[in-house]
Structure formats: structure tokens, C-alpha cells
Amino acid sequence: MQSKGPKTKQRLTAYSWLLPPVAVVMAVAIGWPAFWYVKSRETAAAVTAWMTHEAQLGRAWSCPSQKIGGFPFSVEISCATLLFQGEILGKTLTGTVRGFRAISPLLRTGNVLAQVDPPFAAKTSDSTFDITMQWGGLFLNLEGQPGALDRLSLSGNQVRLQGKVGGTGAVDGASGDVNVVLARGRHDHAYDFMVSVNQGSIPALNSLLDTQLPIDMQVGGTISQVDLRGAETLQDFLENWRAANGHVDLTTGWLTSGQIIFDGKGGLDLDGQH
């Protein structure tokens, strides 16, 4: 009777080339969930730390019913309603959005894509500022780290804003598309920006231009000396910006509505009274 030992050994040798890839697959299968879990905990801890820091500055954020997901290729944090309360220009402002979801690719922690569900509502304690905003879709993309932002882009469609702002009376505006881009420029503390509105309806502006036709407009340029560090309020930020000789250079600015066309370039600085 022949021994099966040599044949079995030959068969194992023939399939030995499979061992390294199988080992890699098993290592990934075991290690990737652990890696995702660690990264998701780190992301949650970073969000908690940021909220704590904001609370120390008088700005309270809360994310009720917070959930963490996105496995296997991203970390996703969502909450049913995002709440904010803080002091803006000496008044207590309360704001809410119905739903919020932020997604960060697992291997690109400096990139965050946020989707916000309508409506957005904001109101001051004295009701001098009271607005509501609706939209079909609204997305915010952030690149960089908090306090060292490289790029911010905001895009929305079917946007409608209603309410009142100070003594300006009722505010009622709508737009087919709104796009905002803010990106770090070539010089330190300089950001390039672009804001565009397509198929807009802004009653006050329509009345000024004596037209009921949709308005398209775009404004772009560079803001110098932008430094978010050390500014706890908007007034602090404006004063720091003015003291650093900050200014806005408008490289493009145009507005069209039917046969009406405006086009301009220039600059903007702040005086001591802001």
C-alpha cells in the first residue's frame, strides 16, 4: 500500500502561493473594523471637544440623538435636529436645522461633507432678527482643520429666505441656485471667495431696479488678513481684521436682470467704527 504522505505534501506545496494573499485578506477583514472603530471614536471625541470649546466661549451646540455610522469607508455623524444658542452682536441667538449629517472619508480626516435638511430657523431673544430658510438641497464641503480652513464650499438649490432683520422690515427672497466658495489664497491669511446667485427673486432689489425679472449675480475676489484665531465674537474678528489692515479686493462683480446689467470692481476697507 502506497503512502499518501508525498502526494499530500506536493498538493500543499502547489497551493502554498495562496497563503500570503489569504493572510492579507484575513488581516484586513479582522483589522479594518477595529481601525474604523478607533477612527469613529476619535471623530466623536473631536466633535465633543469642539462643542466643549464653543460652550466655553458662550456658544452652545447640541446634537440630540447623535448617531455614528458610515462603515466601512467613512465616518458619519448625524443628528435629528442640530441646535445652536449663543451671543451674536450682543444678542442671544437661537438657531435650529431639522436634520444634519456630516461624512468624513476614513483615510481623509481633513475633508468633511455635510448635508443639512430644511428648515433652518434663527431668532434673537428680542425678536429683532427672526428668519426661516427652506431649500431643496443644501451641501457644505470643508477641507482642512478647524482654525486652519483650506477650502469651504456651500451649494444650495430652491432656496427661500423669509422673516425680518432689524429695522429693515420683512425679508422675502428666493433663488434657483446659490453657490459660495472660500479657499485659502497664495498669501498668508488671504482667502479667495466667490458668491453666485442664479434665478433670484429679491423684492427689495427688484423694486430698486424696477424689474420683476429673475436676477443673476456674482461677486468674487480676495479677502486679506483673515485670521480666525483669538476672535471670540464677530466684533472681535472685525476689529482684528481692521487692525491688521485687512481689505477686500473685488476682482469680479456683476448683476443682470433682463436688459439691466451692472458690472464693477474695486476694494473695501473698514474704518474705526467698522
Side-chain angles (χ1 to χ4, degrees), residues 3-70:
S3 173
K4 294 183 180 180
K7 290 184 179 181
T8 302
K9 185 175 182 180
Q10 290 176 359
R11 191 176 294 114
L12 291 175
T13 302
Y15 289 100
S16 62
W17 64 272
L18 287 174
L19 295 178
V22 169
V24 171
V25 170
M26 291 182 64
V28 171
I30 296 173
W32 191 263
F35 175 66
W36 180 89
Y37 178 81
V38 171
K39 284 294 185 180
S40 66
R41 297 306 103 181
E42 289 179 353
T43 301
V47 171
T48 301
W50 178 79
M51 287 185 172
T52 301
H53 176 71
E54 285 286 289
Q56 292 172 347
L57 299 177
R59 298 186 289 261
W61 295 84
S62 62
C63 184
S65 304
Q66 179 177 299
K67 297 180 180 179
I68 299 178

Short mmCIF file of all heavy atoms in Angstrom, two decimals, residues 3-70:
data_model
loop_
_atom_site.label_atom_id
_atom_site.label_comp_id
_atom_site.label_asym_id
_atom_site.label_seq_id
_atom_site.Cartn_x
_atom_site.Cartn_y
_atom_site.Cartn_z
N SER A 3 2.09 5.07 0.37
CA SER A 3 1.86 6.15 1.35
C SER A 3 1.29 7.39 0.66
O SER A 3 1.70 7.73 -0.44
CB SER A 3 3.18 6.50 2.06
OG SER A 3 3.00 7.62 2.87
N LYS A 4 0.36 8.04 1.33
CA LYS A 4 -0.24 9.29 0.79
C LYS A 4 0.56 10.52 1.21
O LYS A 4 0.25 11.63 0.81
CB LYS A 4 -1.67 9.42 1.29
CG LYS A 4 -2.59 8.34 0.75
CD LYS A 4 -4.01 8.58 1.22
CE LYS A 4 -4.95 7.51 0.68
NZ LYS A 4 -6.34 7.71 1.12
N GLY A 5 1.56 10.34 2.04
CA GLY A 5 2.33 11.48 2.54
C GLY A 5 2.93 12.34 1.45
O GLY A 5 2.72 13.56 1.40
N PRO A 6 3.70 11.79 0.52
CA PRO A 6 4.34 12.61 -0.51
C PRO A 6 3.33 13.34 -1.37
O PRO A 6 3.53 14.50 -1.74
CB PRO A 6 5.14 11.58 -1.31
CG PRO A 6 5.40 10.48 -0.34
CD PRO A 6 4.17 10.39 0.48
N LYS A 7 2.21 12.67 -1.73
CA LYS A 7 1.22 13.33 -2.58
C LYS A 7 0.58 14.51 -1.84
O LYS A 7 0.33 15.57 -2.41
CB LYS A 7 0.16 12.33 -2.99
CG LYS A 7 0.66 11.28 -3.98
CD LYS A 7 -0.48 10.39 -4.42
CE LYS A 7 0.02 9.35 -5.45
NZ LYS A 7 -1.08 8.48 -5.92
N THR A 8 0.27 14.28 -0.57
CA THR A 8 -0.33 15.37 0.21
C THR A 8 0.63 16.54 0.33
O THR A 8 0.24 17.71 0.21
CB THR A 8 -0.69 14.87 1.63
OG1 THR A 8 -1.58 13.78 1.52
CG2 THR A 8 -1.35 15.98 2.44
N LYS A 9 1.91 16.26 0.54
CA LYS A 9 2.91 17.30 0.65
C LYS A 9 3.05 18.06 -0.65
O LYS A 9 3.17 19.30 -0.68
CB LYS A 9 4.25 16.68 1.05
CG LYS A 9 5.33 17.71 1.32
CD LYS A 9 6.59 17.04 1.82
CE LYS A 9 7.66 18.10 2.12
NZ LYS A 9 8.90 17.46 2.61
N GLN A 10 3.00 17.34 -1.79
CA GLN A 10 3.08 18.01 -3.09
C GLN A 10 1.87 18.92 -3.31
O GLN A 10 2.00 20.01 -3.85
CB GLN A 10 3.16 16.94 -4.20
CG GLN A 10 4.49 16.19 -4.22
CD GLN A 10 4.49 15.09 -5.28
OE1 GLN A 10 3.49 14.88 -5.98
NE2 GLN A 10 5.61 14.39 -5.38
N ARG A 11 0.69 18.42 -2.89
CA ARG A 11 -0.52 19.22 -3.08
C ARG A 11 -0.45 20.50 -2.25
O ARG A 11 -0.83 21.58 -2.70
CB ARG A 11 -1.74 18.38 -2.67
CG ARG A 11 -3.07 19.02 -3.08
CD ARG A 11 -4.25 18.13 -2.75
NE ARG A 11 -4.21 16.90 -3.54
CZ ARG A 11 -4.02 15.71 -3.05
NH1 ARG A 11 -3.83 15.55 -1.74
NH2 ARG A 11 -4.03 14.63 -3.82
N LEU A 12 0.01 20.41 -1.01
CA LEU A 12 0.15 21.60 -0.16
C LEU A 12 1.16 22.58 -0.74
O LEU A 12 0.98 23.79 -0.72
CB LEU A 12 0.57 21.19 1.25
CG LEU A 12 -0.49 20.44 2.07
CD1 LEU A 12 0.10 19.99 3.40
CD2 LEU A 12 -1.71 21.32 2.31
N THR A 13 2.24 22.03 -1.27
CA THR A 13 3.26 22.89 -1.88
C THR A 13 2.69 23.62 -3.09
O THR A 13 2.99 24.80 -3.32
CB THR A 13 4.48 22.06 -2.30
OG1 THR A 13 5.00 21.39 -1.15
CG2 THR A 13 5.56 22.94 -2.90
N ALA A 14 1.86 22.94 -3.87
CA ALA A 14 1.30 23.55 -5.07
C ALA A 14 0.40 24.74 -4.73
O ALA A 14 0.29 25.69 -5.52
CB ALA A 14 0.51 22.49 -5.85
N TYR A 15 -0.26 24.68 -3.57
CA TYR A 15 -1.17 25.77 -3.19
C TYR A 15 -0.54 26.75 -2.19
O TYR A 15 -1.23 27.61 -1.66
CB TYR A 15 -2.45 25.19 -2.59
CG TYR A 15 -3.33 24.52 -3.60
CD1 TYR A 15 -3.32 23.13 -3.74
CD2 TYR A 15 -4.16 25.26 -4.44
CE1 TYR A 15 -4.12 22.51 -4.67
CE2 TYR A 15 -4.97 24.64 -5.38
CZ TYR A 15 -4.95 23.26 -5.50
OH TYR A 15 -5.75 22.65 -6.43
N SER A 16 0.74 26.61 -1.95
CA SER A 16 1.38 27.47 -0.96
C SER A 16 1.39 28.94 -1.38
O SER A 16 1.44 29.83 -0.52
CB SER A 16 2.82 26.99 -0.70
OG SER A 16 3.58 27.07 -1.90
N TRP A 17 1.32 29.20 -2.71
CA TRP A 17 1.33 30.60 -3.17
C TRP A 17 0.08 31.36 -2.73
O TRP A 17 0.05 32.60 -2.73
CB TRP A 17 1.43 30.64 -4.69
CG TRP A 17 0.25 30.03 -5.40
CD1 TRP A 17 0.08 28.73 -5.74
CD2 TRP A 17 -0.92 30.72 -5.83
NE1 TRP A 17 -1.13 28.55 -6.36
CE2 TRP A 17 -1.77 29.77 -6.43
CE3 TRP A 17 -1.34 32.06 -5.77
CZ2 TRP A 17 -3.01 30.10 -6.96
CZ3 TRP A 17 -2.57 32.39 -6.31
CH2 TRP A 17 -3.40 31.42 -6.90
N LEU A 18 -0.97 30.61 -2.33
CA LEU A 18 -2.20 31.26 -1.88
C LEU A 18 -2.11 31.79 -0.45
O LEU A 18 -2.91 32.65 -0.06
CB LEU A 18 -3.37 30.27 -1.96
CG LEU A 18 -3.89 29.93 -3.35
CD1 LEU A 18 -4.94 28.83 -3.26
CD2 LEU A 18 -4.48 31.16 -4.02
N LEU A 19 -1.15 31.29 0.29
CA LEU A 19 -1.09 31.66 1.71
C LEU A 19 -0.89 33.16 1.94
O LEU A 19 -1.59 33.75 2.79
CB LEU A 19 0.01 30.85 2.41
CG LEU A 19 -0.24 29.34 2.48
CD1 LEU A 19 0.92 28.64 3.16
CD2 LEU A 19 -1.55 29.05 3.23
N PRO A 20 0.07 33.85 1.26
CA PRO A 20 0.25 35.29 1.52
C PRO A 20 -1.00 36.12 1.24
O PRO A 20 -1.42 36.91 2.10
CB PRO A 20 1.42 35.67 0.62
CG PRO A 20 2.18 34.41 0.43
CD PRO A 20 1.14 33.34 0.38
N PRO A 21 -1.66 36.00 0.04
CA PRO A 21 -2.86 36.81 -0.17
C PRO A 21 -4.00 36.48 0.79
O PRO A 21 -4.74 37.36 1.22
CB PRO A 21 -3.26 36.51 -1.62
CG PRO A 21 -2.55 35.26 -1.99
CD PRO A 21 -1.31 35.25 -1.18
N VAL A 22 -4.14 35.20 1.14
CA VAL A 22 -5.17 34.82 2.10
C VAL A 22 -4.89 35.46 3.46
O VAL A 22 -5.80 35.95 4.14
CB VAL A 22 -5.26 33.29 2.22
CG1 VAL A 22 -6.13 32.90 3.42
CG2 VAL A 22 -5.83 32.69 0.95
N ALA A 23 -3.62 35.49 3.85
CA ALA A 23 -3.24 36.10 5.13
C ALA A 23 -3.54 37.59 5.12
O ALA A 23 -4.02 38.15 6.12
CB ALA A 23 -1.76 35.85 5.40
N VAL A 24 -3.27 38.25 3.96
CA VAL A 24 -3.55 39.69 3.85
C VAL A 24 -5.04 39.95 3.97
O VAL A 24 -5.49 40.86 4.68
CB VAL A 24 -2.99 40.24 2.52
CG1 VAL A 24 -3.48 41.67 2.31
CG2 VAL A 24 -1.48 40.19 2.52
N VAL A 25 -5.85 39.14 3.25
CA VAL A 25 -7.30 39.32 3.29
C VAL A 25 -7.83 39.12 4.71
O VAL A 25 -8.68 39.87 5.20
CB VAL A 25 -7.98 38.33 2.32
CG1 VAL A 25 -9.50 38.34 2.53
CG2 VAL A 25 -7.65 38.70 0.88
N MET A 26 -7.31 38.10 5.41
CA MET A 26 -7.76 37.84 6.77
C MET A 26 -7.35 38.97 7.70
O MET A 26 -8.13 39.38 8.57
CB MET A 26 -7.18 36.51 7.26
CG MET A 26 -7.75 35.29 6.57
SD MET A 26 -7.08 33.74 7.22
CE MET A 26 -7.69 33.81 8.91
N ALA A 27 -6.15 39.51 7.49
CA ALA A 27 -5.68 40.62 8.34
C ALA A 27 -6.55 41.85 8.14
O ALA A 27 -6.92 42.54 9.10
CB ALA A 27 -4.22 40.94 8.03
N VAL A 28 -6.90 42.13 6.86
CA VAL A 28 -7.76 43.27 6.57
C VAL A 28 -9.15 43.06 7.15
O VAL A 28 -9.76 43.96 7.75
CB VAL A 28 -7.84 43.52 5.05
CG1 VAL A 28 -8.91 44.56 4.74
CG2 VAL A 28 -6.49 43.97 4.51
N ALA A 29 -9.68 41.84 6.97
CA ALA A 29 -11.02 41.53 7.46
C ALA A 29 -11.11 41.69 8.97
O ALA A 29 -12.15 42.12 9.51
CB ALA A 29 -11.40 40.11 7.06
N ILE A 30 -10.04 41.37 9.66
CA ILE A 30 -10.04 41.48 11.12
C ILE A 30 -9.66 42.89 11.58
O ILE A 30 -10.27 43.46 12.49
CB ILE A 30 -9.06 40.46 11.73
CG1 ILE A 30 -9.53 39.03 11.42
CG2 ILE A 30 -8.93 40.67 13.24
CD1 ILE A 30 -8.54 37.97 11.84
N GLY A 31 -8.67 43.48 10.89
CA GLY A 31 -8.13 44.76 11.34
C GLY A 31 -8.94 45.97 10.92
O GLY A 31 -8.99 46.97 11.65
N TRP A 32 -9.61 45.93 9.72
CA TRP A 32 -10.32 47.12 9.25
C TRP A 32 -11.48 47.54 10.16
O TRP A 32 -11.61 48.73 10.47
CB TRP A 32 -10.83 46.89 7.83
CG TRP A 32 -11.34 48.16 7.19
CD1 TRP A 32 -12.64 48.59 7.11
CD2 TRP A 32 -10.55 49.18 6.58
NE1 TRP A 32 -12.71 49.80 6.48
CE2 TRP A 32 -11.45 50.19 6.14
CE3 TRP A 32 -9.19 49.34 6.36
CZ2 TRP A 32 -11.00 51.34 5.48
CZ3 TRP A 32 -8.75 50.49 5.70
CH2 TRP A 32 -9.65 51.47 5.28
N PRO A 33 -12.32 46.62 10.62
CA PRO A 33 -13.36 47.05 11.56
C PRO A 33 -12.80 47.68 12.83
O PRO A 33 -13.36 48.66 13.34
CB PRO A 33 -14.11 45.74 11.88
CG PRO A 33 -13.86 44.88 10.70
CD PRO A 33 -12.47 45.21 10.26
N ALA A 34 -11.68 47.13 13.32
CA ALA A 34 -11.05 47.72 14.50
C ALA A 34 -10.54 49.12 14.19
O ALA A 34 -10.68 50.05 15.00
CB ALA A 34 -9.92 46.83 14.99
N PHE A 35 -9.93 49.28 13.00
CA PHE A 35 -9.42 50.59 12.57
C PHE A 35 -10.57 51.60 12.46
O PHE A 35 -10.46 52.73 12.92
CB PHE A 35 -8.69 50.44 11.24
CG PHE A 35 -8.21 51.73 10.65
CD1 PHE A 35 -7.22 52.47 11.27
CD2 PHE A 35 -8.75 52.20 9.46
CE1 PHE A 35 -6.77 53.67 10.72
CE2 PHE A 35 -8.32 53.39 8.91
CZ PHE A 35 -7.32 54.12 9.53
N TRP A 36 -11.70 51.15 11.83
CA TRP A 36 -12.84 52.04 11.69
C TRP A 36 -13.40 52.43 13.06
O TRP A 36 -13.77 53.58 13.29
CB TRP A 36 -13.95 51.35 10.88
CG TRP A 36 -15.16 52.21 10.70
CD1 TRP A 36 -15.40 53.11 9.70
CD2 TRP A 36 -16.29 52.27 11.56
NE1 TRP A 36 -16.61 53.71 9.88
CE2 TRP A 36 -17.19 53.23 11.03
CE3 TRP A 36 -16.65 51.60 12.73
CZ2 TRP A 36 -18.40 53.53 11.62
CZ3 TRP A 36 -17.86 51.92 13.34
CH2 TRP A 36 -18.73 52.87 12.78
N TYR A 37 -13.45 51.48 13.97
CA TYR A 37 -13.98 51.76 15.31
C TYR A 37 -13.13 52.81 16.01
O TYR A 37 -13.67 53.75 16.60
CB TYR A 37 -14.03 50.48 16.13
CG TYR A 37 -14.52 50.69 17.55
CD1 TYR A 37 -15.88 50.78 17.82
CD2 TYR A 37 -13.62 50.83 18.60
CE1 TYR A 37 -16.34 50.99 19.11
CE2 TYR A 37 -14.07 51.04 19.89
CZ TYR A 37 -15.42 51.12 20.14
OH TYR A 37 -15.86 51.34 21.42
N VAL A 38 -11.82 52.66 15.93
CA VAL A 38 -10.93 53.63 16.59
C VAL A 38 -11.12 55.01 15.97
O VAL A 38 -11.22 56.02 16.68
CB VAL A 38 -9.46 53.16 16.46
CG1 VAL A 38 -8.52 54.27 16.94
CG2 VAL A 38 -9.23 51.90 17.28
N LYS A 39 -11.17 55.08 14.62
CA LYS A 39 -11.33 56.36 13.95
C LYS A 39 -12.68 57.00 14.28
O LYS A 39 -12.77 58.22 14.46
CB LYS A 39 -11.20 56.18 12.44
CG LYS A 39 -9.78 56.02 11.96
CD LYS A 39 -8.98 57.29 12.20
CE LYS A 39 -7.58 57.20 11.64
NZ LYS A 39 -6.81 58.45 11.87
N SER A 40 -13.73 56.20 14.36
CA SER A 40 -15.05 56.74 14.68
C SER A 40 -15.07 57.30 16.09
O SER A 40 -15.68 58.34 16.36
CB SER A 40 -16.13 55.67 14.50
OG SER A 40 -15.97 54.63 15.44
N ARG A 41 -14.39 56.62 17.04
CA ARG A 41 -14.32 57.12 18.41
C ARG A 41 -13.53 58.42 18.46
O ARG A 41 -13.88 59.36 19.19
CB ARG A 41 -13.67 56.10 19.33
CG ARG A 41 -14.40 54.78 19.51
CD ARG A 41 -15.83 54.96 19.93
NE ARG A 41 -16.76 54.76 18.82
CZ ARG A 41 -18.06 54.86 18.88
NH1 ARG A 41 -18.63 55.20 20.02
NH2 ARG A 41 -18.82 54.68 17.83
N GLU A 42 -12.44 58.49 17.67
CA GLU A 42 -11.64 59.71 17.64
C GLU A 42 -12.45 60.88 17.07
O GLU A 42 -12.37 62.01 17.57
CB GLU A 42 -10.39 59.49 16.78
CG GLU A 42 -9.35 58.57 17.41
CD GLU A 42 -8.15 58.36 16.51
OE1 GLU A 42 -8.20 58.82 15.35
OE2 GLU A 42 -7.17 57.75 16.97
N THR A 43 -13.24 60.60 16.03
CA THR A 43 -14.07 61.65 15.44
C THR A 43 -15.11 62.15 16.43
O THR A 43 -15.32 63.35 16.58
CB THR A 43 -14.76 61.12 14.17
OG1 THR A 43 -13.77 60.68 13.24
CG2 THR A 43 -15.62 62.21 13.54
N ALA A 44 -15.77 61.22 17.12
CA ALA A 44 -16.77 61.60 18.12
C ALA A 44 -16.15 62.42 19.24
O ALA A 44 -16.72 63.40 19.71
CB ALA A 44 -17.46 60.35 18.67
N ALA A 45 -14.93 62.02 19.66
CA ALA A 45 -14.23 62.75 20.72
C ALA A 45 -13.86 64.16 20.26
O ALA A 45 -13.94 65.12 21.03
CB ALA A 45 -12.99 61.98 21.15
N ALA A 46 -13.47 64.29 18.98
CA ALA A 46 -13.11 65.60 18.44
C ALA A 46 -14.32 66.51 18.39
O ALA A 46 -14.24 67.71 18.69
CB ALA A 46 -12.50 65.44 17.05
N VAL A 47 -15.48 65.97 18.00
CA VAL A 47 -16.71 66.76 17.97
C VAL A 47 -17.09 67.21 19.38
O VAL A 47 -17.44 68.37 19.61
CB VAL A 47 -17.86 65.94 17.35
CG1 VAL A 47 -19.19 66.68 17.52
CG2 VAL A 47 -17.59 65.69 15.87
N THR A 48 -16.98 66.32 20.35
CA THR A 48 -17.29 66.65 21.73
C THR A 48 -16.35 67.74 22.26
O THR A 48 -16.78 68.68 22.93
CB THR A 48 -17.19 65.40 22.62
OG1 THR A 48 -18.11 64.42 22.15
CG2 THR A 48 -17.49 65.74 24.07
N ALA A 49 -15.06 67.61 21.93
CA ALA A 49 -14.08 68.61 22.37
C ALA A 49 -14.37 69.97 21.75
O ALA A 49 -14.26 71.01 22.41
CB ALA A 49 -12.67 68.15 22.01
N TRP A 50 -14.74 69.97 20.46
CA TRP A 50 -15.07 71.23 19.79
C TRP A 50 -16.30 71.88 20.42
O TRP A 50 -16.33 73.09 20.66
CB TRP A 50 -15.30 70.97 18.31
CG TRP A 50 -15.69 72.20 17.55
CD1 TRP A 50 -14.86 73.20 17.11
CD2 TRP A 50 -17.01 72.59 17.16
NE1 TRP A 50 -15.59 74.17 16.46
CE2 TRP A 50 -16.91 73.82 16.48
CE3 TRP A 50 -18.27 71.99 17.32
CZ2 TRP A 50 -18.02 74.46 15.96
CZ3 TRP A 50 -19.38 72.64 16.80
CH2 TRP A 50 -19.25 73.86 16.13
N MET A 51 -17.34 71.09 20.70
CA MET A 51 -18.54 71.63 21.34
C MET A 51 -18.23 72.18 22.72
O MET A 51 -18.77 73.22 23.12
CB MET A 51 -19.62 70.54 21.44
CG MET A 51 -20.29 70.18 20.12
SD MET A 51 -21.64 69.00 20.36
CE MET A 51 -22.35 68.98 18.69
N THR A 52 -17.35 71.50 23.46
CA THR A 52 -16.95 71.98 24.78
C THR A 52 -16.23 73.32 24.68
O THR A 52 -16.48 74.24 25.46
CB THR A 52 -16.05 70.95 25.48
OG1 THR A 52 -16.76 69.71 25.61
CG2 THR A 52 -15.63 71.43 26.86
N HIS A 53 -15.33 73.41 23.70
CA HIS A 53 -14.60 74.67 23.49
C HIS A 53 -15.57 75.79 23.12
O HIS A 53 -15.46 76.92 23.63
CB HIS A 53 -13.56 74.48 22.39
CG HIS A 53 -12.83 75.74 22.02
ND1 HIS A 53 -11.91 76.34 22.86
CD2 HIS A 53 -12.90 76.51 20.91
CE1 HIS A 53 -11.43 77.42 22.28
NE2 HIS A 53 -12.01 77.55 21.09
N GLU A 54 -16.53 75.51 22.23
CA GLU A 54 -17.52 76.51 21.84
C GLU A 54 -18.36 76.95 23.05
O GLU A 54 -18.67 78.13 23.21
CB GLU A 54 -18.43 75.94 20.75
CG GLU A 54 -17.78 75.86 19.39
CD GLU A 54 -17.67 77.23 18.74
OE1 GLU A 54 -18.70 77.80 18.33
OE2 GLU A 54 -16.53 77.74 18.66
N ALA A 55 -18.72 76.00 23.90
CA ALA A 55 -19.53 76.32 25.08
C ALA A 55 -18.77 77.25 26.02
O ALA A 55 -19.36 78.15 26.64
CB ALA A 55 -19.94 75.04 25.81
N GLN A 56 -17.46 77.06 26.12
CA GLN A 56 -16.64 77.93 26.96
C GLN A 56 -16.62 79.36 26.44
O GLN A 56 -16.39 80.31 27.19
CB GLN A 56 -15.23 77.37 27.05
CG GLN A 56 -15.13 76.06 27.82
CD GLN A 56 -13.76 75.43 27.74
OE1 GLN A 56 -12.91 75.83 26.94
NE2 GLN A 56 -13.54 74.42 28.57
N LEU A 57 -16.86 79.53 25.13
CA LEU A 57 -16.90 80.85 24.51
C LEU A 57 -18.32 81.41 24.45
O LEU A 57 -18.56 82.45 23.84
CB LEU A 57 -16.32 80.78 23.09
CG LEU A 57 -14.85 80.34 22.99
CD1 LEU A 57 -14.43 80.25 21.52
CD2 LEU A 57 -13.95 81.30 23.75
N GLY A 58 -19.27 80.69 25.08
CA GLY A 58 -20.65 81.17 25.11
C GLY A 58 -21.50 80.73 23.95
O GLY A 58 -22.60 81.26 23.75
N ARG A 59 -21.00 79.80 23.15
CA ARG A 59 -21.77 79.30 22.00
C ARG A 59 -22.09 77.82 22.25
O ARG A 59 -21.20 76.98 22.22
CB ARG A 59 -21.00 79.47 20.70
CG ARG A 59 -20.70 80.93 20.37
CD ARG A 59 -20.06 81.05 19.01
NE ARG A 59 -18.70 80.54 18.98
CZ ARG A 59 -17.61 81.29 19.07
NH1 ARG A 59 -17.73 82.60 19.22
NH2 ARG A 59 -16.40 80.75 19.00
N ALA A 60 -23.35 77.53 22.51
CA ALA A 60 -23.75 76.16 22.87
C ALA A 60 -24.32 75.44 21.66
O ALA A 60 -25.29 75.91 21.04
CB ALA A 60 -24.79 76.20 23.99
N TRP A 61 -23.71 74.31 21.30
CA TRP A 61 -24.20 73.45 20.22
C TRP A 61 -24.66 72.13 20.85
O TRP A 61 -24.06 71.64 21.78
CB TRP A 61 -23.09 73.15 19.23
CG TRP A 61 -22.58 74.33 18.46
CD1 TRP A 61 -21.64 75.23 18.88
CD2 TRP A 61 -22.96 74.74 17.15
NE1 TRP A 61 -21.41 76.18 17.91
CE2 TRP A 61 -22.22 75.90 16.84
CE3 TRP A 61 -23.87 74.24 16.22
CZ2 TRP A 61 -22.34 76.57 15.62
CZ3 TRP A 61 -24.00 74.90 15.01
CH2 TRP A 61 -23.25 76.05 14.72
N SER A 62 -25.72 71.58 20.29
CA SER A 62 -26.15 70.26 20.75
C SER A 62 -26.66 69.45 19.56
O SER A 62 -27.24 70.00 18.62
CB SER A 62 -27.25 70.38 21.82
OG SER A 62 -28.40 71.02 21.30
N CYS A 63 -26.41 68.16 19.63
CA CYS A 63 -26.76 67.24 18.55
C CYS A 63 -27.53 66.08 19.16
O CYS A 63 -26.98 65.00 19.39
CB CYS A 63 -25.49 66.76 17.85
SG CYS A 63 -25.73 65.72 16.41
N PRO A 64 -28.84 66.28 19.47
CA PRO A 64 -29.63 65.23 20.13
C PRO A 64 -29.72 63.97 19.27
O PRO A 64 -29.69 64.03 18.05
CB PRO A 64 -31.01 65.88 20.30
CG PRO A 64 -30.77 67.35 20.19
CD PRO A 64 -29.62 67.50 19.24
N SER A 65 -29.83 62.83 19.92
CA SER A 65 -29.97 61.54 19.24
C SER A 65 -28.82 61.33 18.24
O SER A 65 -29.03 60.85 17.13
CB SER A 65 -31.32 61.45 18.52
OG SER A 65 -32.38 61.65 19.42
N GLN A 66 -27.62 61.69 18.67
CA GLN A 66 -26.46 61.57 17.78
C GLN A 66 -26.18 60.10 17.43
O GLN A 66 -26.23 59.23 18.28
CB GLN A 66 -25.22 62.18 18.45
CG GLN A 66 -23.96 62.07 17.62
CD GLN A 66 -22.79 62.75 18.30
OE1 GLN A 66 -22.82 63.95 18.56
NE2 GLN A 66 -21.75 62.00 18.62
N LYS A 67 -25.92 59.85 16.15
CA LYS A 67 -25.61 58.51 15.68
C LYS A 67 -24.28 58.53 14.92
O LYS A 67 -23.95 59.52 14.27
CB LYS A 67 -26.72 58.00 14.76
CG LYS A 67 -28.06 57.84 15.43
CD LYS A 67 -29.10 57.33 14.46
CE LYS A 67 -30.47 57.17 15.12
NZ LYS A 67 -31.51 56.69 14.17
N ILE A 68 -23.54 57.43 15.02
CA ILE A 68 -22.28 57.28 14.31
C ILE A 68 -22.39 56.08 13.39
O ILE A 68 -22.80 54.99 13.81
CB ILE A 68 -21.10 57.10 15.28
CG1 ILE A 68 -20.97 58.33 16.19
CG2 ILE A 68 -19.80 56.88 14.51
CD1 ILE A 68 -19.86 58.21 17.22
N GLY A 69 -22.06 56.28 12.13
CA GLY A 69 -22.14 55.20 11.15
C GLY A 69 -21.13 55.43 10.04
O GLY A 69 -20.11 56.07 10.23
N GLY A 70 -21.44 54.91 8.86
CA GLY A 70 -20.58 55.10 7.70
C GLY A 70 -19.66 53.95 7.38
O GLY A 70 -18.91 54.01 6.40
#
